[in-house]
Amino acid sequence: MNNKLKRFVSMTAAAVISAVSMPAVMPVTAADTTSFPYVIEGEDMEGADLWTAIYQTEIPGYSGKGFTYITGGPMSFTVNAPADGMYSILVKGAEILDENGKKEGRFQTIEVNGSEYSKTVAYSEEWTDYDFGMVRLKKGENEIKFLNKYGYMAIDYVTVSEAEFPDLSIADDTLTDPDATPEAKALMKYMKSVYGKNILSGQQEIYGGGHSVETTIRYDASQDKCLDSDGNEYEIDRDSKDTDKDGNTFYWHCTGSDGQVYTYNSQNRNYGYNDYDFEMKYLEKTTGELPAIRGFDFGSYCPCYAWDDGVAQRIIDWGTKKNGIVTASWHINVPTTMADYTLGEPLDFAKTTYSEKTDFVTANCYKEGTAEYDYFQLCIKNLAAELQKIQDAGVPIIFRPLHEAEGNGPADGKGAWFWWAKEGAEVYKKLWDFLRDELQNKYGLHNLIWEQNLYTWGDTSNQWYSGDDKVDIVGYDKYNTQYHRHDGNASGVPNEDAEAGIFYALYDMIGGKKIIAMAENDSIPSLTNMEVEHAYWSYFCPWYDSEQAHFVMGEEYQNVDTLTELYKSDFCITLDELPANLYTDSDTPDDVKVTTTTTTNDSDTDSALKGDANEDGKVSISDAVRILQYVANASKYDLSSQGKINADVDGKAGVTGSDAAEIQKYDAGLIKEFK
Ligand code: CA
C-alpha cells in the first residue's frame, strides 16, 4: 500500500496538426439492441474527421473511406447492449508519433459511460490490433468515447464484442521452488482447486506498533498485584521483574483472564497492548465470519531498528491453531541517506524509508563489495530468521516481497514509490531473483509460495514479470476509490467494481499460467459485480485501518451490507470453510508431515558465552538483532543480566550498537574472537 496513488503524466507539447479532409457525418442510432460483434469505421464516429494520410505519412490498407486521427475533440459511438456484462474493445489503429526517435508509444484513453480506461499504445506505422481489453457495459445504451489526452492514435475501425472468458483451469499449481515443503504444495493445490469457482476472503493486520490500546491496569506494589480500575486482577509475569529509575519494582508483562498479554508503559506506568486482531474482531462482529487468509508484514525486522512485533508467532498461531492461510508482504526500509548509516548500527526510524526518495542504490543489493549489498544481507538475515521459525512450525506463506513494483505505470520506464523499483524493471527482476536465491539456497527456506505484483498499464507492463519459473501467484493491488474509478461514482464512496478487465488483462499478460489474486485492496468487490463481470480473483485482502485511511471500517471504503452479503455467500470462502486437511492434502502423501512444534527463543541454558545475547547457546545474527532491539528500546526489549554480560563484546563498557556490529563481523567470519 502507498498513499501516493495519483498518476502523474507529463503533458508533452503536441505538434499542431490540422485535418486534411471534410468531417464525416454518420450519426449512430441505437434504438434496437446492437448485434455483436459490432464494427464501426473510425471515420464514421461522432465527432470524427476523415483522414487518408497524416501529413506526408501514408498508412495504407485501411478499410472504409479512410481513418480518423485523434487530435481535437472526442469521438464517440453508442452501442445498445442486450445485458449488463463484459464486452471487449479492439481498435485497428496506428501510433506514429515519434518523440526524439524513442518510439515508445503513447498513453491513450477511452471513456465508457463516463469512466476512463487507459493503456499505452505501442508505436506502429502499420495498422495494428490494439486490445483495450474488457469493459463493462450496462443493459441498454452505452457511449464509448476516444479522448484526446496524450495519445495521437489513428483509428481505422473499432470492434466491440461480447467478452469471451478464457480457461482459468490452465493455471499451474506446481510450485516454482522444486524443494517446496509438503505444506506449501498442499496449500497451492487447495488454492488451485477453488480458483475460478470461489473467492477466498482475506484481511491484512497492522504491523509494528499499530492499534495501541491503553488500559487502566497498573501494578499496585502495596498489594503486589496488577489491577485495573474495576478491581480485576491480572496475572503477573514474574520473570519480567524490573525496577524503574527511582528503584521501584514493576513487571513488564501481565496477562488477562482471556489470555491477552499487556505490556508496561514506562511513560504513564499503565499497561497496554497492540491490537493486531483489530480488523479481525470487527469483521467477526460485522459479518459473523473470519477471513480465510490473514495478511502480515515483516517490515518491523529492518536492520536499522529491528522491532520484534511478534509476527512470526502470530503467523504460526494463524496457521496451526486457526488452520488459516497466511500471506505476507515486506515493507523493508533502507537508510534515506546512506552517509548517515554505519553497518549494523541502529538508525532512527525517521532516517529510513521504503520510498524511492533515497540515495540507496538498488542495483548494488546484489553486488558484493557495496554498502547496499552488506545492508541488504542484514535485511535478508533478519527476514530469514523469522521465516525459519514459521517453516519449522510447518506453516507455508504466500510471500509477496518487493511489491507494487510498476506502481502507477510506465511514464518514465521506472517503477513507482518503492526503493526496490526505482531503477526500473531489469534491476527489480534481478533483485527478485537474488532474494529468491538467498532465501532458498543460502537459508534453506522452502515454505514460500512466491507472489508477484503486476499491473496492466500497457504493453510494457509485462517487463515487470519475473517469469513463469520465478512466480507462483500473480497479485494485483486495487486502490481505486480516488483514481481510476470505473464504477461511475464520485470519490468518497466505496468502489465495489470487480475489475474483471484488469483480471483478464493480467491473464493475457501471463498466458493464464498463474493463479491471479487481488493481493491488496481498498473496497472489496461486491458479490453482484464479481458475478456479472466473471471476475475470479483467487482472493481479496483489504489493507488495515489507520489514521490515514480506514480501509476496513470506513464507510468511504466498505459498504457494510455488501461486505456482509459477500462474506455470507457461498461464493466467498471464510476461515471456517477451509478444509481440515489444508496443509496435508498433498499429491505426495508420503512427504506429508504434520508439524506441531514451534520454535521459541526461550532457552534453559543460562550459560556465559561471549556474544550470546539471547542465551540460546550459540552466537548468531539473532544476537546482533537482539542487541539492536535492546539499544533501540531497552524498556521493551530488555536483556537478562547474563545476556548483558554476554552481549558486551566490543571491549568497551556497556551494551551498544557497536557490540551488535562485532557480532555481525563474527557471524560473517571477519573476526574469529571477541575483544
Ligand atoms: Ca476506416
Side-chain angles (χ1 to χ4, degrees):
M1 162 53 196
N2 185 284
N3 289 323
K4 289 167 289 172
L5 293 168
K6 184 165 183 176
R7 182 189 175 83
F8 296 98
V9 180
S10 59
M11 273 290 281
T12 312
V16 179
I17 303 169
S18 56
V20 295
S21 186
M22 298 286 290
V25 181
M26 187 70 72
V28 176
T29 55
D32 301 320
T33 299
T34 304
S35 160
F36 293 99
Y38 172 78
V39 180
I40 182 168
E41 293 293 335
E43 63 272 22
D44 291 344
M45 289 192 287
E46 189 85 35
D49 297 329
L50 174 65
W51 294 60
T52 53
I54 301 172
Y55 292 144
Q56 289 78 18
T57 305
E58 301 212 350
I59 313 176
Y62 51 75
S63 79
K65 296 187 288 292
F67 57 91
T68 192
Y69 189 49
I70 299 176
T71 57
M75 294 173 266
S76 64
F77 62 97
T78 59
V79 291
N80 198 325
D84 185 3
M86 299 304 286
Y87 295 79
S88 298
I89 297 181
L90 193 68
V91 176
K92 183 69 85 176
E95 171 54 69
I96 65 161
L97 203 63
D98 176 14
E99 283 179 87
N100 308 319
K102 282 184 176 176
K103 301 189 176 178
E104 284 184 331
R106 297 180 69 88
F107 208 57
Q108 181 61 55
T109 302
I110 63 171
E111 194 182 281
V112 178
N113 297 329
S115 295
E116 292 185 2
Y117 297 80
S118 299
K119 72 165 283 171
T120 307
V121 170
Y123 181 88
S124 175
E125 297 169 8
E126 298 173 348
W127 296 114
T128 302
D129 284 328
Y130 292 122
D131 186 359
F132 278 76
M134 291 183 203
V135 299
R136 183 163 165 183
L137 300 183
K138 62 180 194 271
K139 187 178 191 307
E141 215 166 275
N142 295 270
E143 186 184 42
I144 297 164
K145 200 183 268 187
F146 288 83
L147 303 181
N148 173 25
K149 286 200 165 182
Y150 317 106
Y152 286 81
M153 184 172 58
I155 302 172
D156 182 9
Y157 61 92
V158 183
T159 306
V160 182
S161 320
E162 288 172 292
E164 288 177 20
F165 300 103
D167 182 8
L168 300 181
S169 73
I170 64 171
D172 200 351
D173 63 356
T174 304
L175 293 174
T176 52
D177 179 354
D179 300 320
T181 62
E183 293 87 357
K185 286 180 186 170
L187 174 58
M188 191 64 180
K189 190 185 166 204
Y190 171 72
M191 301 283 289
K192 171 69 189 292
S193 74
V194 295
Y195 183 55
K197 305 182 187 85
N198 298 93
I199 193 163
L200 290 152
S201 51
Q203 178 58 53
Q204 184 78 20
E205 65 155 43
I206 205 162
Y207 62 97
H211 292 326
S212 64
V213 179
E214 300 290 324
T215 75
T216 59
I217 305 167
R218 290 174 76 89
Y219 174 65
D220 183 336
S222 65
Q223 300 184 62
D224 190 29
K225 285 178 179 175
C226 276
L227 301 164
D228 65 21
S229 57
D230 295 329
N232 298 309
E233 186 171 349
Y234 296 77
E235 187 183 341
I236 293 171
D237 174 3
R238 296 285 169 186
D239 291 340
S240 67
K241 185 177 182 178
D242 208 342
T243 49
D244 65 19
K245 60 180 169 28
D246 301 322
N248 301 310
T249 293
F250 71 95
Y251 296 88
W252 282 108
H253 303 294
C254 66
T255 306
S257 57
D258 61 354
Q260 178 69 53
V261 177
Y262 300 86
T263 301
Y264 180 81
N265 180 330
S266 49
Q267 259 86 53
N268 63 14
R269 301 175 61 203
N270 283 14
Y271 287 77
Y273 64 101
N274 294 112
D275 189 5
Y276 297 106
D277 290 328
F278 183 81
E279 288 79 10
M280 296 287 152
K281 289 177 193 163
Y282 172 77
L283 288 170
E284 192 167 31
K285 183 169 136 256
T286 306
T287 71
E289 306 286 348
L290 282 169
I293 299 178
R294 182 159 171 164
F296 299 85
D297 197 284
F298 292 103
S300 296
Y301 298 84
C302 172
C304 295
Y305 39 87
W307 301 324
D308 181 4
D309 69 4
V311 70
Q313 192 58 51
R314 286 199 302 285
I315 287 175
I316 291 166
D317 287 348
W318 185 256
T320 59
K321 293 180 182 166
K322 299 279 192 186
N323 192 45
I325 298 172
V326 172
T327 184
S329 44
W330 191 35
H331 278 85
I332 183 69
N333 280 23
V334 296
T336 309
T337 305
M338 280 303 277
D340 286 348
Y341 180 69
T342 306
L343 186 68
E345 294 285 335
L347 186 63
D348 190 326
F349 176 76
K351 292 186 174 180
T352 72
T353 183
Y354 55 55
S355 85
E356 81 285 16
K357 294 183 181 64
T358 167
D359 62 7
F360 187 89
V361 179
T362 308
N364 281 349
C365 284
Y366 46 82
K367 286 176 192 158
E368 273 190 81
T370 65
E372 287 88 351
Y373 179 91
D374 292 341
Y375 180 80
F376 198 56
Q377 286 292 307
L378 293 183
C379 296
I380 297 174
K381 270 195 174 180
N382 285 5
L383 172 68
E386 300 309 306
L387 294 177
Q388 183 69 54
K389 297 176 202 169
I390 298 159
Q391 176 165 287
D392 290 348
V395 177
I397 302 173
I398 300 169
F399 186 48
R400 190 170 58 93
L402 313 177
H403 64 295
E404 297 178 2
E406 190 185 13
N408 266 338
D412 55 3
K414 292 176 180 174
W417 65 64
F418 287 127
W419 66 260
W420 47 84
K422 71 186 173 75
E423 289 161 31
E426 292 311 310
V427 169
Y428 160 76
K429 284 188 289 191
K430 280 184 185 165
L431 188 64
W432 177 273
D433 290 354
F434 181 71
L435 178 64
R436 254 186 81 114
D437 186 53
E438 290 280 299
L439 291 179
Q440 283 179 6
N441 300 323
K442 185 168 174 182
Y443 291 97
L445 292 162
H446 302 288
N447 61 331
L448 306 176
I449 294 174
W450 288 81
E451 181 177 34
Q452 185 165 60
N453 269 117
L454 291 176
Y455 292 86
T456 60
W457 296 112
D459 298 331
T460 56
S461 289
N462 62 2
Q463 292 174 6
W464 297 86
Y465 182 48
S466 287
D468 296 341
D469 59 337
K470 303 281 173 55
V471 175
D472 298 310
I473 294 179
V474 165
Y476 173 75
D477 287 8
K478 169 200 168 293
Y479 288 97
N480 61 1
T481 51
Q482 292 170 66
Y483 306 101
H484 313 305
R485 282 190 91 111
H486 299 146
D487 65 347
N489 291 322
S491 64
V493 297
N495 183 345
E496 298 178 337
D497 254 8
E499 297 294 1
I502 292 169
F503 177 85
Y504 287 107
L506 286 167
Y507 179 100
D508 286 345
M509 185 188 294
I510 56 166
K513 289 176 188 162
K514 303 293 172 182
I515 287 174
I516 301 164
M518 188 176 279
E520 273 185 43
N521 55 283
D522 45 19
S523 305
I524 301 170
S526 71
L527 178 64
T528 307
N529 286 345
M530 285 192 277
E531 284 173 340
V532 170
E533 297 180 30
H534 289 245
Y536 288 105
W537 303 100
S538 168
Y539 67 87
F540 62 82
C541 193
W543 205 242
Y544 55 75
D545 263 30
S546 68
E547 289 301 314
Q548 288 75 37
H550 297 279
F551 289 123
V552 186
M553 295 176 64
E555 61 183 17
E556 67 277 30
Y557 288 105
Q558 312 291 346
N559 285 315
V560 171
D561 291 346
T562 46
L563 170 78
T564 306
E565 180 191 32
L566 177 61
Y567 257 84
K568 288 193 175 306
S569 71
D570 291 338
F571 182 61
C572 178
I573 297 171
T574 50
L575 182 66
D576 61 336
E577 293 170 323
L578 290 175
N581 62 354
L582 181 62
Y583 294 125
T584 54
D585 187 20
S586 170
D587 284 332
T588 50
D590 292 347
D591 289 341
V592 172
K593 63 178 196 307
V594 179
T595 315
T596 52
T597 54
T598 59
T599 310
T600 72
N601 284 328
D602 297 337
S603 174
D604 300 327
T605 55
D606 258 1
S607 59
L609 172 63
K610 274 271 191 190
D612 186 15
N614 65 6
E615 297 169 86
D616 64 353
K618 58 182 192 269
V619 179
S620 71
I621 197 71
S622 304
D623 298 297
V625 172
R626 189 67 188 77
I627 290 170
L628 291 176
Q629 290 172 336
Y630 168 76
V631 171
N633 189 344
S635 58
K636 190 171 178 186
Y637 301 112
D638 201 11
L639 291 166
S640 73
S641 52
Q642 183 63 51
K644 281 176 193 159
I645 293 167
N646 292 352
D648 189 10
V649 294
D650 65 350
K652 290 173 271 186
V655 178
T656 67
S658 159
D659 295 302
E662 287 298 301
I663 289 171
Q664 285 165 2
K665 283 184 209 160
Y666 180 85
D667 185 65
L670 298 174
I671 56 171
K672 297 285 171 232
E673 57 186 23
F674 297 114
K675 288 166 190 164

